[in-house]
Amino acid sequence: MDASRRPEAETVLRLSGITKRFGSLVANDAISLTLKRGEVVALLGENGAGKTTLMNILFGHYTADEGEIEAFGTPLPPGDPHAALAAGIGMVHQHFTLADQMTVLENIVLGTRPIWSLNLGKANARVRIRTLASDYGLEVDPDRMISDLSVGERQRVEILKALYREARILILDEPTAVLTPMETEALFATLKKLVAAGLSVIFISHKLGEVQSVADRVVVLRGGKLAGERVTDQATRRELAELMVGGQLPVNEVGPASPGEVLFELKNVSTRGLGGSALRNISMQLRGGEITGLAGISGNGQAALAALIAGTLEARDGDIVVHGQKASRWSPRAALANGLGRIPEDRHATGMIGDMSVAENVISEAYRSPRFSRLGFLDWKAAVRFADDIIKAYDVKCPSPEARVRLLSGGNMQKLILGRALDGDPDVILASQPTRGLDVGAVAYVHARLIEARDRGAAVLLISEDLDEIQVLSDRILVIHRGHLSEPSSRGELTVMELGELMAGHGIEEGASDAA
Amino acid sequence: MRLEPRATPSAAATILWPAAAIGATIVFSSLLVMIAGASPFTVFFLVFKGAAGSQFALVETLTRATPLIFTGLAVAVAFRARLWNIGAEAQLYLGAVMTVVLGTGAVTLPSAGLIPLIMLAAMLTGALALLGPAILKTRFGVDEVVTTLLLNFIILLFVSMLLEGILKDPMGLGWPQSKRVIAEAQLPRLIQGKRLHFGFILAIVSAIIVWVIMKKTVLGYEMRAVGHNAEAARFAGIPVNRVIAKTALLSGGLAALAGFSEVAGLKGNLTLDLSPGYGYTGIVVAMLALLNPLGVIAAAIFVAGIFVGADAMSRSANVPSYIAEVMVATSLLTMVTAIMLMRYRVRWR
């Protein structure tokens, strides 16, 4: 733990001058990094800062254009994941690499024995796995099927897999993104045991709070460059944030809400599943002048709820009530006609048509109106004018309204979507993961617009997996677990831990038994 | 090997890569010509001369290009909306069937009324032939490549049955051919005594109309949106299934016009060898044109020129006219490769 105060600890990993270019983009620019025995180093940076690229180079998935890697004093051949494994480097990816239809034990042993050996040495393996699990607080039954495990348990299996292969250096890529607050605490406890046993950990994150609670040292990347390096105890949160962002952290003031009447309502709605859980008999009310935040761990029905409200997923049961009127047939067009503004979860797949121009994209929800077409012919001049308006009003960086949307950055694409969704001041706004993958400046911008919409009286539903975001913006919080909703709580009523309990399903109808 | 998308293809790249594709085609064909024991220079000169070296050659090339413009447009329209219509051949024959059904005396009207009537009926037949596969695709997720491709064989056999049965010309000495269309149903020749007919003008006009539809209208916008990203189109409220159905109607109708124009403008009657695969060659034409409706005109004339020129060449040089098929096929493959290289950069690790 206290490697920083024990300068005699041996250096187990040394990256020197790593540079990686993708075309004209320099993803890593001469980055150097050392890791000592028994140390947790956090790699902090925004999306696109180059954290994952750097770790992929270390692990041999990419080959660096320049620079060298040394593990335990021996140079590591570039571009060879097997060499990285053999040198004792283990990586836990953001997206797990487990075979669903095999047991925990089989997944862990997979690849460690020749495939033609009849006896996988299961008995020995089971004993070793149990020992590792109890030593490091990674309890999981070796004989359970991966498909039966929760996300947190799967992550434990990934860590066990690395430990089973005698990893001495463990790399965790955004490990808390999929965890509840309690699971995060448990993970941190595990990491402490691991470093106490002499392992070293690189912890990739963009969340300041967790970096401060788990890391001995913080290495900050910004725009592919090394922005700074600090001993955690000697750095303030603000200092780290400014290193990460490269300037002042923008802050939004969220004033008190003045809730009005119910503008949008779901009554006992059920759907089929969509990228996770289905919705099971849920009801919710959205009031004007209020932001309702929907928290939950990824895959618990958020996608289905967003698609249902947006009109792309049909309800099997139940009613959608807009402005007090029951909607007879719900579709994207009906949603638009009823004054909904919609920000979809995936801006590339659902939000924008990458190979069409900015102008063509911004009119996609309104092209049938007399504003943009007459007698079946489009008015391109009006479309370009509208695009210009959005570009100006939302400060979109793009070469021209004729530019293909594919060329824009994620933040600029999201601003276009905002402009399109908020055009005509909709009074119900669905914002599904509106800031995922955006840099801090763009996040603040999106938040400001949502608050602005609330303050002019719109009902906003914010669906997010980022609990911080939910807590900052929401006047009322709902938690979703396996397709069921919790009772609403008002701002500040529940602590992070209490919300975490709900996210794990404790206290949500039928959820508690599922999660046991 | 990895492909990395390029931000924007540079102006030079959009000219150089297609030019390189044509160069590669010529080099590859030259090798085959040399294997056949002839001089590539002579052969290419003869192909060019046979395609465009005289008024006769030019007229032949444009005549041959006419049905290819129609089928090329049919494919370009459908592919733009990601409706993979491989059935232009069948739709062409159905258009031809409707032309002889109405044009051989069943309806008598002056030309000004009869020809538009037949055109509309032919288009409708072809349109409905593609609507079926389109509905199967949108409702049940049946792959339209399979259905349209297999329909080609079914419809060709059906046409064969008609030509042996109710459409058979009693004066045809037993050949499986239809009666000739009456004078009022015939398209006028553009040049006295030459084979080039009014169908060529119709084809050019169709290309311009399709270009306007794709570029300026709501329907064209919807078709492009659905083709580029159907999920985003659906999210924005574009009625994806209806757009695919409309695309099918337009595409099938255009392909049927090829059959109409061949019968009413050139052949005069329907036989089973009306089309030497114009429906399939339409795919090559559309791809070479990068699905641009105006580009289809140029691509169709280019492909027709190679076929016509190669025929003429094989009569004087001792090289089989099959070289034309090889050249067209090679030009498609090199062009597709060139387009890929225009859009992506290849990285070797």
Side-chain angles (χ1 to χ4, degrees):
Chain A
M1 281 304 330
D2 300 320
S4 53
R5 272 159 254 147
R6 283 192 281 118
E8 73 277 11
E10 102 190 81
T11 297
V12 294
L13 184 71
R14 189 191 302 279
L15 302 178
S16 31
I18 300 290
T19 297
K20 175 71 183 171
R21 298 180 197 90
F22 293 108
S24 57
L25 176 87
V26 186
N28 283 161
D29 190 357
I31 294 177
S32 299
L33 176 94
T34 57
L35 180 67
K36 295 201 171 95
R37 185 181 147 87
E39 184 186 37
V40 179
V41 167
L43 202 52
L44 179 71
E46 295 203 71
N47 286 294
K51 298 168 298 195
T52 302
T53 304
L54 187 65
M55 289 305 110
N56 277 326
I57 289 170
L58 168 57
F59 203 65
H61 290 314
Y62 294 156
T63 312
D65 295 325
E66 286 159 36
E68 270 146 36
I69 304 170
E70 212 175 79
F72 299 100
T74 330
L76 205 60
D80 186 357
H82 295 292
L85 275 172
I89 301 173
M91 184 153 177
V92 175
H93 291 273
Q94 224 168 346
H95 303 286
F96 303 145
T97 52
L98 299 170
D100 271 359
Q101 294 309 318
M102 293 173 88
T103 64
V104 170
L105 180 98
E106 286 163 343
N107 265 283
I108 290 174
V109 178
L110 199 66
T112 60
R113 314 265 308 186
I115 46 169
W116 57 82
S117 66
L118 289 173
N119 176 6
L120 287 170
K122 279 194 180 175
N124 288 337
R126 191 172 289 116
V127 172
R128 257 196 78 199
I129 292 169
R130 283 198 202 281
T131 318
L132 285 171
S134 68
D135 283 357
Y136 298 114
L138 293 164
E139 277 78 14
V140 54
D141 179 355
D143 294 311
R144 275 178 77 194
M145 209 68 124
I146 294 296
S147 53
D148 296 336
L149 300 184
S150 74
V151 176
E153 288 171 314
R154 289 179 202 210
Q155 189 176 64
R156 278 179 238 154
V157 177
E158 285 279 8
I159 298 174
L160 279 173
K161 206 162 94 180
L163 297 179
Y164 189 87
R165 285 156 204 232
E166 288 165 353
R168 307 296 298 155
I169 299 168
L170 198 59
I171 305 164
L172 300 158
D173 190 2
E174 301 268 1
T176 61
V178 293
L179 301 182
T180 64
M182 281 88 63
E183 286 172 326
T184 302
E185 288 294 312
L187 172 68
F188 289 176
T190 295
L191 294 186
K192 288 188 175 141
K193 286 181 188 156
L194 288 173
V195 292
L199 272 79
S200 310
V201 174
I202 296 181
F203 182 90
I204 305 176
S205 180
H206 67 276
K207 292 186 183 162
L208 290 167
E210 30 184 69
V211 162
Q212 285 189 305
S213 61
V214 76
D216 302 306
R217 243 175 350 121
V218 185
V219 172
V220 188
L221 297 188
R222 184 174 73 236
K225 291 193 175 70
L226 196 66
E229 197 177 327
R230 297 284 184 276
V231 174
T232 316
D233 296 348
Q234 295 161 17
T236 64
R237 194 183 169 110
R238 189 191 176 87
E239 187 184 357
L240 291 176
E242 286 179 6
L243 274 179
M244 180 163 93
V245 183
Q248 289 280 332
L249 201 59
V251 180
N252 280 307
E253 295 294 330
V254 190
S258 44
E261 46 188 305
V262 175
L263 298 178
F264 185 91
E265 204 175 339
L266 297 178
K267 284 185 176 167
N268 306 106
V269 175
S270 301
T271 63
R272 67 179 170 81
L274 186 78
S277 186
L279 298 181
R280 293 170 190 163
N281 195 26
I282 65 155
S283 299
M284 63 159 41
Q285 293 188 330
L286 303 180
R287 285 177 190 281
E290 193 176 65
I291 296 180
T292 305
L294 184 81
I297 303 160
S298 172
N300 272 288
Q302 293 97 324
L305 181 66
L308 170 78
I309 297 176
T312 50
L313 179 70
E314 256 179 280
R316 272 198 179 145
D317 245 319
D319 295 326
I320 296 174
V321 182
V322 201
H323 303 124
Q325 298 250 308
K326 196 186 133 198
S328 52
R329 223 180 148 268
W330 198 246
S331 67
R333 274 201 202 185
L336 291 166
N338 277 294
L340 261 74
R342 306 160 310 147
I343 300 163
E345 175 178 341
D346 187 335
R347 48 187 162 270
H348 298 278
T350 324
M352 292 263 128
I353 300 168
D355 283 322
M356 290 176 89
S357 71
V358 171
E360 286 173 314
N361 270 285
V362 292
I363 63 164
S364 66
E365 292 182 350
Y367 67 94
R368 265 177 252 91
S369 79
R371 194 170 152 208
F372 297 120
S373 63
R374 225 165 300 113
L375 302 169
F377 280 81
L378 282 166
D379 182 350
W380 284 120
K381 283 195 185 116
V384 169
R385 267 201 307 276
F386 180 48
D388 268 327
D389 290 347
I390 290 185
I391 289 170
K392 280 201 196 80
Y394 288 83
D395 191 29
V396 182
K397 305 261 181 317
C398 81
S400 83
E402 277 88 19
R404 284 189 309 150
V405 162
R406 187 175 295 290
L407 304 177
L408 305 190
S409 72
N412 285 312
M413 224 186 258
Q414 196 70 345
K415 285 176 176 177
L416 280 185
I417 293 176
L418 267 179
R420 182 178 73 189
L422 300 183
D423 175 56
D425 293 341
D427 56 10
V428 179
I429 294 161
L430 162 72
S432 187
Q433 321 287 359
T435 58
R436 182 187 277 173
L438 300 187
D439 63 43
V440 172
V443 168
Y445 187 89
V446 172
H447 286 175
R449 291 288 170 152
L450 291 178
I451 296 165
E452 195 180 286
R454 178 199 78 166
D455 289 344
R456 66 165 169 73
V460 180
L461 175 64
L462 170 69
I463 302 178
S464 177
E465 280 151 27
D466 182 346
L467 203 48
D468 294 342
E469 176 173 56
I470 293 274
Q471 287 194 299
V472 168
L473 288 186
S474 312
D475 304 307
R476 234 163 40 103
I477 298 177
L478 296 168
V479 178
I480 192 165
H481 179 259
R482 300 210 178 162
H484 295 280
L485 286 182
S486 69
E487 290 297 314
S489 63
S490 49
R491 181 187 291 277
E493 190 184 326
L494 299 182
T495 64
V496 178
M497 278 301 157
E498 284 166 330
L499 285 171
E501 291 277 336
L502 288 172
M503 285 161 73
H506 305 300
I508 296 184
E509 180 201 352
E510 287 181 32
S513 58
D514 284 355
Chain B
M1 183 183 132
R2 243 198 294 266
L3 292 177
E4 290 177 5
R6 291 172 197 265
T8 2
S10 65
T14 53
I15 297 169
L16 283 178
W17 281 115
I22 293 169
T25 306
I26 290 175
V27 169
F28 182 71
S29 315
S30 300
L31 288 176
L32 293 179
V33 166
M34 282 176 348
I35 290 170
S39 148
F41 294 102
T42 326
V43 165
F44 286 121
F45 173 72
L46 287 174
V47 168
F48 181 77
K49 198 176 146 211
S54 62
Q55 196 209 23
F56 172 81
L58 216 50
V59 162
E60 261 321 292
T61 297
L62 296 184
T63 309
R64 185 76 81 96
T66 302
L68 290 178
I69 296 175
F70 283 121
T71 55
L73 286 174
V75 172
V77 161
F79 280 20
R80 189 49 97 195
R82 288 199 168 246
L83 174 69
W84 307 114
N85 177 16
I86 315 295
E89 188 77 2
Q91 293 138 24
L92 177 154
Y93 270 100
L94 286 175
V97 165
M98 199 37 97
T99 306
V100 295
V101 164
L102 294 178
T104 49
V107 185
T108 44
L109 279 174
S111 277
L114 187 58
I115 288 175
L117 174 79
I118 296 176
M119 269 177 72
L120 278 176
M123 285 183 80
L124 195 65
T125 324
L128 292 177
L130 187 52
L131 186 62
I135 291 175
L136 286 175
K137 170 192 169 85
T138 53
R139 288 272 169 267
F140 306 109
V142 181
D143 190 338
E144 75 276 19
V145 173
V146 176
T147 48
T148 55
L149 181 65
L150 294 183
L151 260 182
N152 284 340
F153 302 102
I154 296 171
I155 287 174
L156 232 72
L157 287 168
F158 172 69
V159 172
S160 166
M161 184 190 85
L162 292 178
L163 288 180
E164 294 287 358
I166 50 172
L167 286 185
K168 189 171 186 174
D169 181 4
M171 313 296 280
L173 304 171
W175 293 102
Q177 61 184 40
S178 77
K179 283 196 282 189
R180 297 192 66 79
V181 294
I182 57 177
E184 287 83 355
Q186 280 174 18
L187 293 173
R189 295 282 152 110
L190 289 184
I191 307 167
Q192 205 59 46
K194 293 285 187 325
R195 278 157 41 97
L196 190 61
H197 55 91
F198 191 70
F200 180 69
I201 305 291
L202 282 178
I204 302 288
V205 172
S206 302
I208 294 169
I209 293 175
V210 170
W211 180 81
V212 170
I213 291 176
M214 296 311 293
K215 205 84 181 169
K216 309 273 182 192
T217 70
V218 166
L219 177 62
Y221 170 75
E222 291 176 326
M223 285 166 59
R224 285 182 292 127
V226 168
H228 282 308
N229 185 344
E231 190 188 333
R234 180 170 282 129
F235 178 84
I238 295 173
V240 174
N241 290 354
R242 226 178 308 160
V243 171
I244 291 175
K246 286 180 193 169
T247 307
L249 293 175
L250 184 58
S251 170
L254 284 164
L257 278 183
F260 157 77
S261 136
E262 284 299 281
V263 171
L266 191 63
K267 301 282 173 63
N269 65 354
L270 172 58
T271 55
L272 270 180
D273 58 1
L274 179 73
S275 159
Y278 289 137
Y280 300 107
T281 312
I283 299 171
V284 181
V285 169
M287 297 301 287
L288 285 179
L290 309 183
L291 307 188
N292 181 322
L294 298 182
V296 163
I297 300 175
I301 293 174
F302 170 74
V303 170
I306 288 181
F307 277 114
V308 171
D311 276 344
M313 176 275 296
S314 73
R315 282 192 290 272
S316 39
N318 195 19
V319 176
S321 67
Y322 292 119
I323 190 74
E325 319 254 353
V326 178
M327 282 178 73
V328 168
T330 315
S331 69
L332 176 68
L333 293 176
T334 54
M335 194 59 86
V336 170
T337 313
I339 293 164
M340 189 195 74
L341 291 172
M342 218 157 81
R343 293 186 185 154
Y344 296 92
R345 176 181 289 116
V346 181
R347 311 261 304 182
W348 305 94
R349 272 203 79 103

